[in-house]
Amino acid sequence: MGNHAKPAKDHAFFQHHFNTVGQQAGAAKMGMWLFLATEVLMFSGLFLAYFIVRALYPEMVLSSHELLDKTMGGINTVVLLTSSFTMAMAVRYAQLGDNKRCATQLLLTMACAFIFMGVKYVEYTGKFSHGVFPGAFFNYDEAIQYAHSHGHSFRGLPHVFFGLYFVMTGLHGIHVLVGIGVIFWVYLRAKKGHFKDGYYAPVENVGLYWHIVDLVWIFLFPLLYLVK
Amino acid sequence: MADAHSNESNYLTATRGLKSWLFTLDHKRIGLMYLVGVLVFFLAGGLFALTLRTELLTPEGGDFISATTYNKMFTLHGAVMVFLVIIPSVPAALGNFLLPLMLGAKDVAFPRLNLLSFWVYTLGSMFFLYTLAAGQLDTGWTFYTPYSNTTGTAVISATFGAFILGFSSILTGLNFVVTVHKMRAPGMTWNKMPLMVWALYSTAVIQVLATPVLAITLLLLIVERTLMIGIFDPAMGGDPVLYQHFFWFYSHPAVYIMILPGFGIESELIAVHSRKHIFGYKAIALSSVAIAIISFVVWGHHMFVSGQSELAGIVFSFLTFAVAVPTAIKTFSWVATLYKGSIEFNTPMLYGLMFLFTFSIGGLTGIFLGALSVDVHLHDTYFVVAHFHYVMMGGTIIAFVGGIHHWWPKMFGVMYSERWGKISALFIFVGFNMTFFNQFLLGQQGMPRRYWSYVPQFQQQHILSTVGGYLLLIGFTIIAIYLVHSLRNGKKVGPNPWNAQSLEWTHTASPPIEHNFHGQPVVENDPYNYPEIDRTGASH
Amino acid sequence: MATFMAPENAEAKQAVADAATEVAAEVTKAPLPPVETAHPWAMPTAASTFAEDTDALYYFITALDTVFFVIIMGAMGYFMWKYRRRSKDQKTSSITHSGIVEFLWSAIPTVLLLVIFVWGECDFVKQSVPPADALDVRVTGQKWYWTVEYPKYPGVSLSSSTEEPALTLMVPKDKPVRLTMTSTDVIHSFYVPAFRVKRDVVPGRYTQIWFQATRVGEFNLFCTEYCGDLHSQMTGVVKVLEPDNFERALIAAGILEKEDGESLAAYGERVYRRRGCAACHSVEGKDGIGPAWNGLYGRTESLTDGTTVKADDEYIKNSIYEPNSQIVAGYSPQMPSYQGLLDEEQVTAVIEYIKTLK
Ligand code: HEA
Ligand code: HEA
Ligand code: CUA
Ligand SMILES: [Cu+2]
């Protein structure tokens, strides 16, 4: 649609409705920042809900969070931080026009994302197999037994905590999956050698997105796993 | 100027076929598709309203529809009008069409995103339609918990619909903010932007900042309903008032998402048709920004009697009054613009003047509601219903209809019938006030809203209100007929029938050419600098 | 993960909602008293001390708004006439702004709005602090009726759910009354227009309001928070009495007695409705907070301590007077004791009523 003779601009991805490449890149960047702002605002709604629940039932939150596996959470934190680093490297290489190295770094980033999701899978299934489901599906008998076997005991209504846990980490997990998708997309483009000095906005924007996903986790981890 | 464009194909005829519309990246076509969608849903929402108004002809419930049906009607009416009509109305329909033209740009910054946003809107409205089919929805447009957790109707599909629509709104807002920042024509400084652009800009900022909170609120509501995680439902350990905080944190700013674009249209109508430079340009532009900011911290005025803390009530009341001041500034500025003008009473201007009348009543009655002790009496009565119809219908919709008339020749290159335009405006003015002025009196006497049956003494006013509703239907039907009729038979117009000074009139044909402008327009002039203005200083 | 929709829950919820609708549909109501108003343009009759305060501010805002509206419309109308377009090239003024005018029309409304804010705030604060000697009343909102109890008068209970006049609340004139309110299901809102009081009634918490009636008579009570199908039927009557005969009248209206010729079971059903049993016990097989009553009589109940017991007269009586001595398995000890609140005859009547429920 809407394809017409365009003036020979300096690269193939210039869109006709902009006047200059700089304008196009500036718009893309600003759009991305605004988008990230909406993401942050969306998660801050969840954080708010979390803080309110925590203020209402401090004991319950404290006693429930013991059941989360700090080691796995810690591993995931390291994995995500690493992936942020490789992502930053990918952006750097894209800026230099080194599509090959860029692709490698993107591949590493995706690998980290998969590890992260793998660990989450293990954590989730571990919880589910002991009756720790979100909300109404929370099986009190099994969950209490499970907690006892680890030397913990619940106070209050732990299903609220786990409800929030699943919603928060679940929504974050969805963002990781989307991240894998878009990283794969720029990876393909890097493979085709699309990026060069002056045109690397897609990698940069995907990078920004990935850093936000990482940042959200940096907040989720202490709030959920390290309440004390 | 007209001749320069005359042999160029315009955006309507540039390409043909359904596909060339549905997959277009042209902001003008997307705007028109939105316009059609919005008007169709406006008709639907209006018919829901008339159904419930008909039931209210008699105090006893049930002589036309059952309580259950009544509750579904006002819910669908409110939800359709808010989420499908008024929020996308001015920004997505007219705004899409006008923003790049007014800025001197070839398109919005992200045309693909723009199309996506339209499709997301369509998808969201499909969910609403599904709700209609699937047992419907009876929670009120506010979806208050725990009622919405327990009622058996299609809450999930409707909230999911609203959730999707939220994304459409975010995408449009994001697109507009970037467009205004990055796509202005050379010479188009912030101080030379038409006030319509300022209004769309402030609106877009609120859309981007507030809608994500709505998204998460609705998501939590869906999760609460399906999994019962226990944050809103007291039976599961949650707090139902928390939901209200979340909801109004979005929905109060949302009322300014609804009205700011209306303000933008109003500024254009008043200035162009009185041939005067708008009075207090800076004050009008900046007060929109002030409203956008303050609007985020007044949400608690919907909750004065909900059991939130007394202190919270006091703070919210104070801030509510603070947000009224910038609106007052605008109102006075519009009236002052008329001073020593050359006022023509054509249809757009009639709506511009009608807006001043009805919106002032709506805004002034907001003052009653912001006053704590008085709101205790008026909360959730018909007084509130009347207030918000005076601002939403009497403000935004009236401005929207005025805007449709004002830009109709630009959009289609034809003129509608002035005579029928005036007749229908009269119907709408009378019908509107008859429908809703009575409701202030009902509310002040204690008639609660969302009531299917009521105490007999209120009957007389309810009858008047219902009759007024039918007059509105007649008025809008007339408009629909002559507008459609004008598409084929209307008188052809030149690029600038109103002799206005902003770029969409001065620099392109009617209808505009496909790429908006031949070459890049360069702005030297102020958008309100009309030739009639007496520069000699004699008229001072 | 669990399936997206939870069918059992949805169905169960639907069932509860349907049942509630059926119950409510049976309830017929006496007409409400007319809302007294001098004039459709005026506020309704003022019957509490707050009413006068609120009305004063209401009329003040009305006057102020009218002044502003007249100024705006007056100016608009005048300009419309004076500056109507007479010729195509009519010259217009080049004014674009005026600092002093703009300052004035920002500052004057600001000051006036501040006055309104402070005024409304003061009255609101007054409404939030009940005097210590207020008469205590407990109000429970429920789909779709109100139940009212008086801690000072045990056994007295009023409810808007009856076929009898929907008498819901009785209060003495000129005495402060404090309402402590809660809901057992969704949010309702307690509103008496004549008193200018309104407060949401929220499940899981207690909200409070107080007022002092200034006028003897009957006034409307409305539910103003949307609560489902019969929201508009969740109305009642507030009766204000002279302090001298308040107590006598309250006890006469609030104490339930068997009427001549009424069967014991029918009387039992009235007790069931009027004494709030319906809040927790359904009679058609839907378990609520407490077990449903149909099929109860004669069945064998398992208790939380592992024993079983046959539901006979003795057991039911014990369940009413000392509910926490034997807890039915699967329930929590939430039922209040009705010792001193229901007399022997009423308990017998309830038992007779339960027997009729299959
Ligand atoms: C277009 C939408 C729109 C707009 C612009 C407004 C504008 C305002 N609204 Fe309204 N409002 C709604 C839409 C809107 N509202 C809706 C939808 C609801 C109900 C939702 C629901 O419950 O379903 C609602 C409900 C609502 C409430 C809650 C009532 C209740 O439920 O108890 C309150 C309370 O403070 C309020 C106040 C105000 C105020 C103070 C303004 C101000 O911004 C108005 C400012 C304008 C003026 C004041 C007029 C012009 C000024 C002058 C002429 C100057 C001189 C004036 C003086 C000195 C007094 N509104
Ligand atoms: C934009 C917002 C909007 C608009 C325009 C309207 C318009 C109307 N509304 Fe509304 N209304 C709401 C938003 C709106 N409403 C909301 C949010 C609620 C609260 C819901 C809740 O409690 O949850 C509400 C509630 C509400 C109630 C209260 C119900 C109750 O509490 O029990 C009533 C009762 O009278 C009512 C009546 C009407 C009427 C008669 C119109 C009329 O003005 C309608 C007239 C319009 C038509 C008849 C359609 C004609 C259209 C065409 C012919 C198509 C062609 C058009 C063009 C070319 C322009 N509405
Ligand atoms: Cu109870 Cu409305
Ligand atoms: Cu508001």
Side-chain angles (χ1 to χ4, degrees):
Chain A
M1 292 299 112
N3 264 344
H4 9 252
K6 44 188 161 238
K9 293 277 171 165
D10 32 0
H11 65 73
F13 304 106
F14 179 73
Q15 290 172 302
H16 80 280
H17 63 286
F18 290 106
N19 285 335
T20 64
V21 179
Q23 190 189 26
Q24 173 170 349
K29 197 156 177 177
M30 183 172 183
M32 195 61 201
W33 278 108
L34 282 172
F35 170 70
L36 295 179
T38 66
E39 289 281 33
V40 169
L41 283 161
M42 193 154 112
F43 273 103
S44 45
L46 278 181
F47 284 121
L48 200 65
Y50 168 87
F51 281 116
I52 289 164
V53 165
R54 188 163 157 185
L56 285 175
Y57 314 107
E59 296 275 280
M60 180 279 281
V61 172
L62 210 62
S63 70
S64 314
H65 98 283
E66 308 261 345
L67 219 58
L68 297 179
D69 192 328
K70 292 189 185 53
T71 327
M72 293 213 209
I75 292 174
N76 260 352
T77 309
V78 174
V79 168
L80 270 196
L81 281 173
T82 314
S83 75
S84 251
F85 175 73
T86 53
M87 190 72 229
M89 292 305 287
V91 176
R92 185 79 204 114
Y93 287 125
Q95 282 171 342
L96 297 174
D98 188 342
N99 281 292
K100 219 164 139 225
R101 288 225 169 88
C102 173
T104 318
Q105 294 296 339
L106 289 172
L107 214 53
L108 285 174
T109 314
M110 276 189 281
C112 286
F114 276 113
I115 297 176
F116 179 88
M117 290 312 288
V119 173
K120 271 259 92 78
Y121 176 79
V122 174
E123 277 192 271
Y124 271 28
T125 46
K127 296 280 167 306
F128 291 164
S129 65
H130 292 102
V132 182
F133 286 105
F137 303 91
F138 191 87
N139 185 329
Y140 267 85
D141 296 340
E142 276 183 45
I144 289 173
Q145 227 174 25
Y146 177 54
H148 280 321
S149 70
H150 286 250
H152 306 309
S153 57
F154 291 130
R155 265 158 293 164
L157 301 168
H159 73 259
V160 179
F161 177 82
F162 286 103
L164 270 177
Y165 165 80
F166 283 115
V167 172
M168 294 172 89
T169 55
L171 192 66
H172 178 259
I174 292 174
H175 277 80
V176 173
L177 288 178
V178 172
I180 293 176
V182 289
I183 295 173
F184 185 63
W185 170 67
V186 284
Y187 166 76
L188 289 182
R189 295 193 60 181
K191 275 267 172 203
K192 290 189 199 140
H194 280 179
F195 306 118
K196 60 178 180 197
D197 179 22
Y199 182 71
Y200 50 84
V203 194
E204 195 180 28
N205 284 341
V206 168
L208 283 174
Y209 171 80
W210 191 249
H211 294 322
I212 286 288
V213 172
D214 191 13
L215 187 73
V216 169
W217 179 258
I218 301 292
F219 281 99
L220 284 179
F221 177 60
L223 288 180
L224 293 170
Y225 289 74
L226 314 171
V227 174
K228 264 192 288 212
Chain B
M1 188 131 335
D3 309 51
H5 301 297
S6 51
N7 45 8
E8 171 106 6
S9 69
N10 68 47
Y11 78 105
L12 294 168
T13 53
T15 46
R16 293 192 181 274
L18 192 61
K19 262 207 189 140
S20 77
W21 280 86
L22 292 182
F23 299 104
T24 181
L25 295 179
D26 183 345
H27 67 98
K28 300 183 286 305
R29 287 190 167 195
I30 293 176
L32 280 199
M33 291 195 292
Y34 263 118
L35 187 65
V36 171
V38 164
L39 290 181
V40 167
F41 285 116
F42 181 56
L43 175 61
L47 295 180
F48 292 138
L50 292 183
T51 312
L52 70 89
R53 282 260 36 113
T54 306
E55 167 61 38
L56 292 175
L57 279 171
T58 61
E60 302 83 33
D63 31 33
F64 182 51
I65 50 177
S66 70
T68 324
T69 314
Y70 182 88
N71 296 339
K72 288 172 182 166
M73 280 305 146
F74 73 68
T75 305
L76 286 170
H77 165 66
V80 164
M81 284 297 195
V82 168
F83 295 112
L84 296 178
V85 177
I86 193 166
I87 290 184
S89 66
V90 183
L94 286 180
N96 246 323
F97 186 90
L98 291 170
L99 187 68
L101 288 172
M102 288 186 143
L103 288 174
K106 290 194 207 108
D107 207 323
V108 293
F110 310 113
R112 279 201 188 81
L113 208 60
N114 204 15
L115 181 65
L116 179 66
S117 157
F118 174 74
W119 280 110
V120 173
Y121 170 77
T122 315
L123 184 70
S125 42
M126 287 305 146
F127 268 88
F128 264 82
L129 292 184
Y130 170 74
T131 310
L132 263 179
Q136 300 149 333
L137 176 71
D138 73 342
T139 56
W141 79 283
T142 48
F143 305 116
Y144 271 18
T145 55
Y147 187 74
S148 56
N149 289 326
T150 49
T151 180
T153 45
V155 176
I156 294 177
S157 67
T159 27
F160 200 62
F163 180 77
I164 297 174
L165 288 167
F167 282 97
S168 160
S169 181
I170 291 178
L171 295 181
T172 305
L174 192 153
N175 215 339
F176 282 14
V177 172
V178 177
T179 305
V180 172
H181 273 272
K182 302 284 176 192
M183 310 288 285
R184 278 172 287 131
M188 174 74 78
T189 58
W190 287 85
N191 282 335
K192 284 202 180 125
M193 294 194 315
L195 286 167
M196 177 73 178
V197 173
W198 270 103
L200 290 171
Y201 176 72
S202 322
T203 311
V205 170
I206 312 183
Q207 278 176 304
V208 170
L209 295 182
T211 321
V213 179
L214 176 73
I216 206 70
T217 308
L218 295 174
L219 193 70
L220 282 173
L221 188 64
I222 293 172
V223 176
E224 182 76 354
R225 214 186 132 102
T226 46
L227 308 174
M228 292 183 266
I229 61 167
I231 41 176
F232 297 144
D233 188 347
M236 300 293 290
D239 179 356
V241 180
L242 179 61
Y243 171 81
Q244 298 177 21
H245 281 292
F246 270 102
F247 181 82
W248 290 115
F249 183 81
Y250 164 77
S251 292
H252 183 83
V255 309
Y256 295 102
I257 295 180
M258 304 171 196
I259 197 66
L260 285 176
F263 289 168
I265 294 182
E266 178 68 5
S267 300
E268 303 299 320
L269 295 182
I270 294 286
V272 171
H273 299 289
S274 66
R275 319 303 305 155
K276 270 273 308 289
H277 192 287
I278 189 93
F279 189 93
Y281 174 91
K282 278 217 176 94
I284 295 184
L286 295 180
S287 60
S288 290
V289 180
I291 291 174
I293 295 167
I294 309 175
S295 71
F296 278 96
V297 288
V298 306
W299 77 88
H301 68 201
H302 296 272
M303 300 168 60
F304 288 153
V305 303
S306 69
Q308 73 180 359
S309 83
E310 196 184 313
L311 181 67
I314 293 171
V315 173
F316 284 125
S317 168
F318 178 77
L319 293 165
T320 300
F321 288 119
V323 85
V325 176
T327 314
I329 295 174
K330 286 176 198 283
T331 311
F332 292 127
S333 302
W334 290 318
V335 175
T337 303
L338 298 174
Y339 174 67
K340 293 197 175 167
S342 164
I343 301 168
E344 164 143 48
F345 299 101
N346 50 22
T347 312
M349 188 60 164
L350 289 183
Y351 284 100
L353 298 168
M354 200 192 298
F355 174 98
L356 281 178
F357 184 94
T358 46
F359 177 76
S360 293
I361 295 181
L364 290 168
T365 51
I367 303 298
F368 289 84
L369 299 174
L372 280 162
S373 61
V374 177
D375 184 64
V376 169
H377 178 57
L378 297 176
H379 174 71
D380 270 352
T381 64
Y382 263 78
F383 194 96
V384 177
V385 174
H387 158 70
F388 67 69
H389 283 94
Y390 263 92
V391 282
M392 295 206 286
M393 171 104 189
T396 312
I397 299 290
I398 293 296
F400 182 50
V401 175
I404 292 177
H405 284 88
H406 181 75
W407 281 291
W408 191 259
K410 180 53 50 182
M411 289 191 274
F412 299 105
V414 293
M415 198 50 108
Y416 50 83
S417 154
E418 259 305 326
R419 186 147 73 97
W420 283 105
K422 287 184 180 128
I423 293 173
S424 57
L426 187 69
F427 267 101
I428 287 174
F429 183 70
V430 174
F432 176 77
N433 287 295
M434 195 161 152
T435 311
F436 295 110
F437 198 81
N438 288 296
Q439 297 186 353
F440 287 119
L441 306 180
L442 283 170
Q444 117 194 332
Q445 286 170 52
M447 165 82 206
R449 65 192 279 204
R450 298 172 174 175
Y451 261 32
W452 162 71
S453 64
Y454 55 88
V455 187
Q457 299 88 311
F458 297 145
Q459 187 173 13
Q460 211 180 356
Q461 275 144 339
H462 271 302
I463 292 178
L464 276 175
S465 184
T466 305
V467 174
Y470 281 103
L471 291 183
L472 281 170
L473 177 65
I474 298 176
F476 282 118
T477 310
I478 298 175
I479 301 183
I481 293 172
Y482 71 69
L483 285 184
V484 172
H485 183 259
S486 77
L487 287 179
R488 282 195 172 281
N489 311 298
K491 200 168 99 255
K492 296 267 178 300
V493 294
N496 194 357
W498 310 125
N499 204 3
Q501 298 299 305
S502 40
L503 297 179
E504 84 274 27
W505 299 108
T506 53
H507 280 66
T508 186
S510 301
I513 58 168
E514 197 188 2
H515 301 298
N516 294 354
F517 306 104
H518 288 289
Q520 173 66 64
V522 178
V523 183
E524 289 128 22
N525 214 339
D526 180 307
Y528 301 105
N529 208 354
Y530 303 109
E532 289 88 340
I533 294 176
D534 185 359
R535 294 266 156 224
T536 60
S539 69
H540 267 250
Chain C
M1 272 208 64
T3 47
F4 180 60
M5 266 276 232
E8 320 91 68
N9 296 320
E11 265 169 46
K13 281 175 175 175
Q14 180 68 64
V16 173
D18 289 350
T21 311
E22 280 164 34
V23 171
E26 289 166 18
V27 177
T28 51
K29 282 261 179 118
L32 293 173
V35 178
E36 285 179 47
T37 34
H39 190 274
W41 292 74
M43 289 287 260
T45 312
S48 80
T49 49
F50 299 148
E52 282 134 41
D53 300 347
T54 302
D55 290 2
L57 179 54
Y58 185 92
Y59 289 126
F60 176 75
I61 302 177
T62 311
L64 195 72
D65 274 6
T66 310
V67 169
F68 273 97
F69 188 68
V70 168
I71 293 177
I72 295 174
M73 285 304 111
M76 183 178 106
Y78 177 70
F79 296 159
M80 277 164 65
W81 173 75
K82 183 86 194 284
Y83 305 114
R84 66 187 183 277
R85 187 172 305 172
R86 287 167 236 234
S87 66
K88 200 119 188 55
D89 51 357
Q90 181 171 327
K91 285 285 166 217
T92 64
S93 154
S94 63
I95 312 177
T96 57
H97 61 279
S98 155
I100 178 85
V101 172
E102 288 180 67
F103 172 77
L104 283 181
W105 74 39
S106 315
I108 295 173
T110 307
V111 173
L112 292 170
L113 290 171
L114 267 177
V115 171
I116 297 174
F117 161 68
V118 172
W119 189 338
E121 189 252 44
C122 289
D123 285 351
F124 184 71
V125 170
K126 200 153 85 185
Q127 293 186 17
S128 311
V129 196
D133 62 340
L135 172 71
D136 256 312
V137 181
R138 311 262 138 161
V139 175
T140 309
Q142 187 169 7
K143 280 179 184 170
W144 287 277
Y145 62 94
W146 303 96
T147 315
V148 172
E149 273 148 352
Y150 296 77
K152 202 176 153 198
Y153 305 99
V156 171
S157 158
L158 300 168
S159 153
S160 65
S161 72
T162 38
E163 315 78 57
E164 294 152 41
L167 181 61
T168 316
L169 175 63
M170 293 171 96
V171 293
K173 184 178 160 241
D174 295 331
K175 290 251 155 61
V177 177
R178 172 176 54 213
L179 309 184
T180 306
M181 309 186 289
T182 192
S183 158
T184 59
D185 40 40
V186 299
I187 304 178
H188 304 276
S189 190
F190 181 96
Y191 176 38
V192 182
F195 295 170
R196 318 285 191 271
V197 293
K198 180 182 292 131
R199 180 68 52 145
D200 282 3
V201 177
V202 185
R205 10 168 126 174
Y206 291 91
T207 51
Q208 267 199 356
I209 43 169
W210 76 280
F211 56 81
Q212 180 167 328
T214 54
R215 192 187 253 264
V216 170
E218 293 194 344
F219 304 100
N220 290 312
L221 158 65
F222 296 127
C223 173
T224 45
E225 186 60 66
Y226 174 66
C227 53
D229 282 353
L230 296 189
H231 164 59
S232 59
Q233 244 77 338
M234 193 168 162
T235 54
V237 174
V238 181
K239 192 167 188 160
V240 181
L241 296 140
E242 291 294 351
D244 312 343
N245 46 21
F246 166 68
E247 203 157 283
R248 208 157 9 94
L250 176 68
I251 288 170
I255 302 274
L256 265 179
E257 262 160 25
K258 183 168 163 312
E259 280 159 21
D260 292 339
E262 191 180 27
S263 77
L264 213 49
Y267 178 45
E269 182 176 359
R270 282 206 296 136
V271 174
Y272 163 78
R273 293 199 168 188
R274 285 278 300 274
R275 283 296 178 270
C277 315
C280 305
H281 297 285
S282 131
V283 290
E284 39 201 61
K286 273 103 188 179
D287 288 343
I289 298 166
W293 281 1
N294 48 328
L296 166 63
Y297 194 81
R299 111 180 136 209
T300 311
E301 289 286 33
S302 347
L303 305 178
T304 42
D305 59 10
T307 58
T308 55
V309 61
K310 189 165 177 290
D312 54 13
D313 291 27
E314 199 43 45
Y315 165 77
I316 293 179
K317 186 169 164 189
N318 187 50
S319 293
I320 296 171
Y321 283 154
E322 283 175 52
N324 295 344
S325 64
Q326 294 172 305
I327 307 291
V328 184
Y331 292 88
S332 55
Q334 288 194 43
M335 178 167 155
S337 165
Y338 281 82
Q339 189 80 55
L341 296 179
L342 294 187
D343 59 25
E344 296 272 338
E345 191 191 21
Q346 288 170 326
V347 170
T348 319
V350 168
I351 296 171
E352 286 307 312
Y353 174 53
I354 294 178
K355 281 184 192 166
T356 66
L357 301 167
K358 288 290 167 274

